[in-house]
Amino acid sequence: MFSKRNEHIQDYIHQLFVKEDETLAFVRSHAKELGIPDIHVPTNVGKLLYLIAKTQKCHKILEVGTLIGYSTIWLARALEPQGKLISLEIDPKRAQIAQEHLKRAGLNHCVEIRQGNALELLPEMIQRHEGPFDLIFIDADKTNNQAYLIRALQLSRPGSLILVDNLMPKGDHIGTPSNHEGVSIYQFNDYLARHPKLETTLIPTVVHQGRVDCLGLARVKDSI
Ligand code: SAH
Ligand code: MG
């Protein structure tokens, strides 16, 4: 359906640079067995998240949207010693499965999965002064991206990185959304591009079947 060439580029990257270990492969096949939708980051994006997090020397990471813990494992593996990751997931079953996967990955001690609606959990975290986080990965329901970003900024410091997944909607005509979700993603991109506190770009990434998506990479400015 999408470019075969893109698909081959992704295979090439996977084979040469991003060999998945047994744990990550198990997590993906286990989720499939349980009928959970295949909407985690692809392996090449997992490795990208890991490398960005490692470069940022993260002591505290926040993730919005856990699913079954696939991206969580990549990010948690990049934590500095004694670092901690908190991941928010609305679906109790997914949160429980993710917890099991984190245990299997030997990351239970540094990852806390919080089950609940991020729109409620994030304000609680702000109230309890749980920030600032060195890196925040937003990857939940796309129509709430702006609400998550506003709260993420309240849990950040100058120099924090805010990553947002899936910022290139499906559809052949870039800038012309084909559904409600697409409309909100393009609106969010405009908001992100103009945000006075952020320096931002979109990183094109090859995802399933050669489709090109984008990962937003924003850095909180040192001063405004
Ligand atoms: N980051 C994961 C994929 C997340 S998929 C990975 O790449 O491996 C998006 C997840 O966000 C879904 O599991 C969905 O249940 C969750 N979600 C949707 N709305 C939410 C909300 N309001 N609060 C918390 N989680 C939410
Ligand atoms: Mg995603």
Side-chain angles (χ1 to χ4, degrees):
M1 187 159 90
F2 301 103
S3 154
K4 271 277 163 223
R5 184 170 190 272
N6 287 351
E7 204 175 332
H8 293 156
I9 292 171
Q10 191 186 33
D11 288 344
Y12 176 80
I13 297 171
H14 283 176
Q15 278 162 24
L16 195 57
F17 294 101
V18 210
K19 283 182 206 84
E20 233 178 10
D21 63 16
E22 250 175 68
T23 308
L24 286 165
F26 171 83
V27 165
R28 285 200 302 119
S29 68
H30 186 227
K32 213 172 199 174
E33 253 170 54
L34 297 172
I36 290 166
D38 189 10
I39 52 172
H40 53 79
V41 292
T43 310
N44 50 317
V45 176
K47 180 84 181 266
L48 179 61
L49 292 174
Y50 165 83
L51 285 170
I52 292 171
K54 194 109 196 185
T55 307
Q56 174 75 346
K57 295 196 182 300
C58 295
H59 295 278
K60 285 169 76 171
I61 297 178
L62 171 62
E63 178 177 62
V64 184
T66 318
L67 192 67
I68 40 81
Y70 187 76
S71 54
T72 320
I73 293 174
W74 279 107
L75 287 167
R77 284 180 174 172
L79 282 167
E80 294 289 297
Q82 271 85 55
K84 218 184 151 205
L85 185 154
I86 297 172
S87 187
L88 314 180
E89 172 55 54
I90 198 166
D91 182 313
K93 186 175 161 227
R94 292 178 180 181
Q96 190 214 319
I97 294 164
Q99 194 75 64
E100 287 165 22
H101 288 165
L102 267 309
K103 192 172 173 201
R104 192 184 177 99
L107 293 164
N108 246 0
H109 63 288
C110 60
V111 177
E112 184 191 338
I113 313 266
R114 282 191 198 168
Q115 191 267 312
N117 186 342
L119 292 171
E120 291 160 17
L121 296 177
L122 290 168
E124 284 170 22
M125 293 179 74
I126 294 163
Q127 226 168 30
R128 286 200 295 264
H129 302 284
E130 290 191 54
F133 289 85
D134 305 301
L135 185 151
I136 300 173
F137 178 47
I138 299 173
D139 188 22
D141 49 328
K142 309 305 162 189
T143 48
N144 279 315
N145 271 344
Q146 190 171 326
Y148 297 140
L149 179 72
I150 289 166
R151 282 151 186 101
L153 279 162
Q154 291 174 276
L155 291 163
S156 299
R157 56 163 172 83
S160 290
L161 296 182
I162 301 177
L163 299 165
V164 190
D165 198 26
N166 310 116
L167 292 186
M168 189 49 64
K170 291 176 184 152
D172 289 338
H173 302 287
I174 306 308
T176 309
S178 54
N179 58 26
H180 172 63
E181 194 179 85
V183 173
S184 76
I185 294 170
Y186 281 123
Q187 278 171 356
F188 177 71
N189 284 343
D190 286 341
Y191 177 80
L192 198 55
R194 285 168 224 264
H195 202 291
K197 285 192 178 167
L198 294 169
E199 296 181 292
T200 307
T201 193
L202 300 187
I203 305 172
T205 52
V206 181
V207 295
H208 304 293
Q209 293 160 349
R211 189 170 83 81
V212 173
D213 199 335
C214 281
L215 176 72
L217 171 61
R219 181 182 185 275
V220 180
K221 287 182 184 172
D222 293 321
S223 57
I224 51 164

